[in-house]
Amino acid sequence: MARLLTGLGALLLLGSAVWPLGSAEAQPKPAEPKPSSQDCLACHGDKDLKRGAPKPGRRDSLFADEAVLKASAHARLECAACHRTATAPHDSPLPPVQCAACHDKARAELGGGVHASARGQAGAPACASCHGTHDVRRAATMTIEACASCHAKQVQVYRDSVHGRSRQRGDSEAATCRSCHGAAHGVLAKSDSRSSTYHLNLPRTCAQCHADPELAKRHNIPIANVYQLYMDSIHGRAVTKSGLLVSANCSDCHGSHEIRPHTDPRSRVFPANVPKTCGACHAGVLAQYAESVHGKAAAIGVSTAPVCTDCHSAHQIRRVEGAPWQLDVIRECGSCHQESLRTYRDTFHGKVTALGLTRVAKCADCHGAHTVRAVADPASSVSGANLVATCAKCHPGATARFAEFHPHADPSSRARFPILYYSYVLMTTLLIGTFAFFGLHSLLWLPRSLVERLRRGRGRGGEGPEP
Amino acid sequence: MSQGRYYFRFNLYHRILHGMVIVSFLGLAVTGLPLKYAQTGWGLWLSHALGGPFTTGYLHRFFAIITFTYFALHLGYIARLVLLRRPGVFWGPDSMVPQPRDLLQLGQHVRYFFGLGPRPRFGRWAYWEKFDYWAVFWGISIIGASGLLLWFPTFFARYVPGWIFNVAIIVHSDEALLAVGFIFTIHFFNGHLRPEKFPMDPVIFTGRLEEEDFRRDHPEEYERLRADGRLEARRADPPPLWLRNFSLVVGLSSLAVGLTLIWLIVATALK
């Protein structure tokens, strides 16, 4: 029954919409003066004024609140300035308002943007979708609510992000929709190469704020020069110099609407989540890492287990082939494996790398990088079965005896390395003993020798007393 | 320079060999210490000043080859003396082998330091000169052997266990430190820097010893040669000016290099 009534109503409305248009064309336009706003409000000021029948997607109330109108950006306009064909009174619904009749520039800006190209499609934004109808808002006063009316999911995610939360706390510097996407009229699709959110353009967009060390200081962002570091990184160069769409930009690691601080367990850059984030592109490496001691420890939540960024850094990710990275990463391994680094530095390998040569064994050359496993693991490159082959990578002809060399020997440990300990003690004793004996010998000789010299006079071979 | 009489103490062969010792020893010290002190700023700087750690390593081995060469030449020299049945190579007043008399003279020397007795009547080699000789002899054997092990590890690992290389690293490094420390302080003091010789004793370069120095520093040998009538055979012309200048330049340069290295080592140790 209700459906029947609705159908009848719709028919009636359709009829009433078509008929007056036809008749308006037939009749010449009356030359009567345009109605004033007061004329309009005579009827539309009534809160109960409703359309004859409801239509999906349309409000049925025909009430126009004068107070809202007066508070809007259009406060000084008469109703007829927008509703140009309006007469007072009128029976037929008025044609849609053409904002572009006045806002020429806005139409030009909409140009080829997504908001414009979508017009005419179902759910496409009209001016009123964002700016309102009678309560016309200036762009400057608009909030994310305007965007949320269509992009509800994105805005909801944004609200929970570091940017959204900062805004809620009253931080006027935190990014909003427009900060990244640009002004709404010209907004372009992410896939458009001119868009500020296009893969190759995004770093520069984020840099509007994040290239500023002062901003980082104000907001307690731990790394002040992220943009500069990123631009020097292998990712940044690939994006900005080579134009590689597959190379990571800011949002690949941090997310876009959902950006959260690295201390937030839900953040993509939270340490425990980093392997997954990097592995989204570096799937092969992730597979190796997941099998390693580091990966296994990280997976069960060991907070000290190194993740990708611990070795490769977060922003200034460098080519691993380069000497600077290869030498720095030794120190990085040593930041946890202090004992191993100390003993490594005692050997030829460690000393030469300290001098800047990468041709000798570094941590990863023996232990593997992503595949690093415990010595006890038979699959480890430093396990008993694989050790000779690992040594032979650099020392062709290495034998089982050769592999008895201990690259991390500690001469100060008598329990673990007795022969080495006693060699060390012997050598140290020899050193101290020799210097103590001859040091004392020279000290005693010095005054005596001085006396001899003075007795003989300064000139050598002169007339000295006969012995 | 006075026109006093001169006698030969070192022949040309001795002097050439000592020249090789100076060149290779300084070379080994300068190229080796940057590796031993790789963690220090000066180690890094020196290594790169020498052309980087790779080049420094090659230079180190080059000087090692000079060392092996003069060591072999010296062994050959001794072998020649033995084959010629020269008496007193291994025992006697002209021998380098330590003898009871050396211990006695050490005691006498210490008494002399305290003014409790006369200066001992040293022969051809005073006890500290013998020690210098044996320190170098022993040093080359130990450092050379351990160095060869570390130079050709895969070859030697066919015959010795791998932990030998761990020992070799310690021995090579510490013995080298002992050698560098000893030569640049004790040997320099005994031979050159003590007030009687200051700033240097050119005898190892000129080979010639003035009669007065001979009689004072090696009275036993002087008297023995005179008594045997062999002194005149040792007579030398005064060292030419060029040789004296040459000794001065080489000697003082070596001294400067050595004392700089000592200063760096001590500064690092004290830090």
Side-chain angles (χ1 to χ4, degrees):
Chain A
M1 195 62 181
R3 197 184 291 170
L4 187 70
L5 276 176
T6 315
L8 274 172
L11 265 175
L12 266 171
L13 194 76
L14 199 68
S16 66
V18 172
W19 177 78
L21 271 175
S23 65
E25 261 169 35
Q27 289 172 357
K29 234 178 188 176
E32 60 183 294
K34 287 193 172 181
S36 70
S37 293
Q38 287 312 313
D39 295 338
C40 299
L41 286 167
C43 296
H44 288 282
D46 177 6
K47 281 183 186 165
D48 297 326
L49 187 67
K50 284 199 166 63
R51 236 178 260 284
K55 191 186 171 190
R58 277 210 166 176
R59 299 172 302 167
D60 21 325
S61 173
L62 291 172
F63 168 63
D65 191 338
E66 192 184 3
V68 167
L69 213 55
K70 290 294 171 203
S72 82
H74 282 173
R76 292 198 346 219
L77 294 183
E78 295 286 322
C79 302
C82 299
H83 301 282
R84 293 189 170 189
T85 57
T87 54
H90 64 107
D91 296 323
S92 53
L94 299 174
V97 167
Q98 298 294 323
C99 300
C102 295
H103 295 283
D104 227 23
K105 216 176 111 204
R107 179 157 70 178
E109 281 169 2
L110 275 159
V114 274
H115 284 161
S117 69
R119 292 193 83 189
Q121 295 166 13
C127 307
S129 309
C130 304
H131 291 279
T133 48
H134 294 137
D135 54 336
V136 182
R137 296 182 291 271
R138 286 183 192 284
T141 64
M142 281 163 67
T143 64
I144 53 171
E145 301 307 327
C147 303
S149 61
C150 293
H151 304 283
K153 200 180 135 210
Q154 283 85 347
V155 169
Q156 190 195 343
V157 169
Y158 163 83
R159 281 209 179 90
D160 200 22
S161 76
V162 69
H163 290 145
R165 283 167 176 266
S166 298
R167 272 276 159 187
Q168 279 158 33
R169 279 202 308 272
D171 183 345
S172 62
E173 280 185 325
T176 66
C177 311
R178 266 187 289 175
S179 314
C180 301
H181 292 279
H185 289 158
V187 76
L188 298 166
K190 198 182 108 187
S191 54
D192 190 316
S193 64
R194 296 165 300 158
S195 166
S196 55
T197 52
Y198 180 63
H199 194 93
L200 303 185
N201 301 335
L202 188 71
R204 208 164 43 238
T205 303
C206 299
Q208 291 167 14
C209 298
H210 290 278
D212 179 8
E214 289 300 315
L215 176 123
K217 209 185 284 175
R218 280 198 297 279
H219 295 263
N220 295 322
I221 297 171
I223 309 169
N225 52 341
V226 278
Y227 179 64
Q228 291 81 351
L229 291 173
Y230 171 80
M231 291 301 271
D232 277 342
S233 77
I234 190 168
H235 289 149
R237 282 163 189 263
V239 164
T240 59
K241 294 233 163 71
S242 312
L244 275 177
L245 291 172
V246 290
S247 182
N249 67 10
C250 314
S251 68
D252 283 313
C253 301
H254 293 277
S256 46
H257 301 114
E258 71 271 33
I259 295 169
R260 293 196 185 93
H262 70 100
T263 47
D264 184 335
R266 293 172 303 163
S267 168
R268 287 153 74 136
V269 293
F270 181 71
N273 302 334
V274 161
K276 197 177 144 221
T277 301
C278 299
C281 295
H282 301 276
V285 174
L286 177 63
Q288 291 183 332
Y289 171 79
E291 287 298 310
S292 74
V293 272
H294 292 155
K296 283 177 179 167
I300 58 165
V302 177
S303 64
T304 52
V307 296
C308 316
T309 46
D310 287 305
C311 298
H312 294 279
S313 84
H315 295 109
Q316 201 194 7
I317 293 168
R318 286 179 285 173
R319 293 192 74 86
V320 295
E321 295 87 354
W325 187 82
Q326 294 204 359
L327 296 173
D328 284 350
V329 80
I330 295 172
R331 267 194 290 280
E332 191 53 46
C333 298
S335 65
C336 291
H337 303 280
Q338 290 168 357
E339 185 62 22
S340 300
L341 178 64
R342 185 178 70 78
T343 50
Y344 169 75
R345 288 290 187 216
D346 282 345
T347 68
F348 180 75
H349 292 151
K351 285 176 183 285
V352 176
T353 51
L355 291 175
L357 198 71
T358 56
R359 270 182 53 171
V360 298
K362 301 164 295 299
C363 316
D365 291 315
C366 302
H367 297 277
H370 303 120
T371 54
V372 62
R373 286 162 185 270
V375 189
D377 186 337
S380 167
S381 53
V382 291
S383 75
N386 300 327
L387 193 57
V388 175
T390 300
C391 295
K393 286 198 296 183
C394 297
H395 300 277
T399 57
R401 279 181 131 178
F402 178 89
E404 283 173 41
F405 169 71
H406 207 299
H408 291 286
D410 183 5
S412 61
S413 166
R414 184 166 60 177
R416 289 181 60 209
F417 305 98
I419 298 176
L420 217 51
Y421 172 80
Y422 287 111
S423 307
Y424 175 71
V425 169
L426 179 74
M427 291 313 299
T428 309
T429 311
L430 194 68
L431 248 144
I432 294 172
T434 308
F435 283 113
F437 180 83
F438 276 101
L440 190 65
H441 184 268
S442 298
L443 277 178
L444 293 175
W445 196 352
L446 183 65
R448 200 64 195 154
S449 181
L450 205 58
V451 169
E452 285 289 333
R453 173 90 187 226
L454 291 172
R455 190 179 291 164
R456 257 195 300 140
R458 281 188 62 80
R460 295 192 70 232
E463 295 81 24
E466 286 291 307
Chain B
M1 273 290 166
S2 77
Q3 298 305 308
R5 278 186 290 194
Y6 282 86
Y7 295 94
F8 276 115
R9 175 159 167 78
F10 298 116
N11 66 28
L12 191 60
Y13 193 79
H14 296 146
R15 284 138 65 189
I16 288 173
L17 247 60
H18 194 269
M20 291 173 80
V21 174
I22 292 176
V23 169
S24 69
F25 190 83
L26 286 175
L28 287 167
V30 167
T31 54
L33 285 170
L35 191 67
K36 181 165 177 61
Y37 291 94
Q39 76 284 5
T40 65
W42 66 267
L44 192 67
W45 179 88
L46 190 52
S47 164
H48 285 264
L50 291 166
F54 193 71
T55 310
T56 310
Y58 266 107
L59 290 172
H60 194 72
R61 291 173 181 92
F62 168 75
F63 290 116
I65 290 169
I66 298 183
T67 305
F68 294 138
T69 308
Y70 77 67
F71 194 66
L73 285 172
H74 177 65
L75 292 178
Y77 178 78
I78 296 167
R80 182 175 157 272
L81 294 182
V82 172
L83 288 174
L84 288 176
R85 300 186 182 284
R86 188 76 59 86
V89 176
F90 296 114
W91 199 258
D94 287 344
S95 173
M96 268 294 182
V97 178
Q99 290 161 37
R101 173 189 154 87
D102 294 312
L103 209 60
L104 193 72
Q105 287 191 334
L106 166 64
Q108 291 172 344
H109 208 207
V110 173
R111 279 166 59 89
Y112 159 76
F113 292 161
F114 289 105
L116 300 173
R119 185 206 283 256
R121 292 177 59 80
F122 295 115
R124 178 157 176 79
W125 306 113
Y127 65 89
W128 73 84
E129 288 168 337
K130 287 188 182 181
F131 191 92
D132 279 10
Y133 170 85
W134 284 108
V136 174
F137 196 97
W138 148 269
I140 290 168
S141 313
I142 296 295
I143 305 178
S146 55
L148 273 176
L149 275 174
L150 296 171
W151 188 350
F152 304 105
T154 40
F155 171 79
F156 286 105
R158 290 189 226 160
Y159 311 103
V160 293
W163 54 260
I164 277 286
F165 301 112
N166 288 113
V167 177
I169 288 170
I170 292 181
V171 168
H172 190 79
S173 168
D174 280 0
E175 182 69 26
L177 185 65
L178 177 62
V180 168
F182 188 84
I183 296 297
F184 294 148
T185 58
I186 310 295
H187 172 72
F188 274 5
F189 177 84
N190 290 350
H192 304 284
L193 292 177
R194 64 187 153 100
E196 292 156 281
K197 303 285 181 187
F198 192 84
M200 63 168 292
D201 185 350
V203 65
I204 195 60
F205 300 105
T206 64
R208 296 153 172 90
L209 197 59
E210 223 178 332
E211 186 176 25
E212 189 212 332
D213 288 342
F214 197 2
R215 287 168 63 182
R216 191 183 58 250
D217 291 340
H218 309 281
E220 187 274 336
E221 185 192 18
Y222 182 83
E223 295 302 334
R224 183 160 43 83
L225 289 176
R226 196 161 69 172
D228 293 355
R230 287 190 291 146
L231 192 61
E232 274 313 296
R234 297 270 291 269
R235 270 295 289 274
D237 52 327
L241 181 65
W242 72 265
L243 191 55
R244 295 205 305 266
N245 288 339
F246 173 79
S247 348
L248 219 59
V249 170
V250 175
L252 293 181
S253 310
S254 310
L255 208 62
V257 173
L259 292 179
T260 307
L261 290 176
I262 285 296
W263 173 64
L264 291 171
I265 292 169
V266 171
T268 307
L270 292 179
K271 207 158 73 174

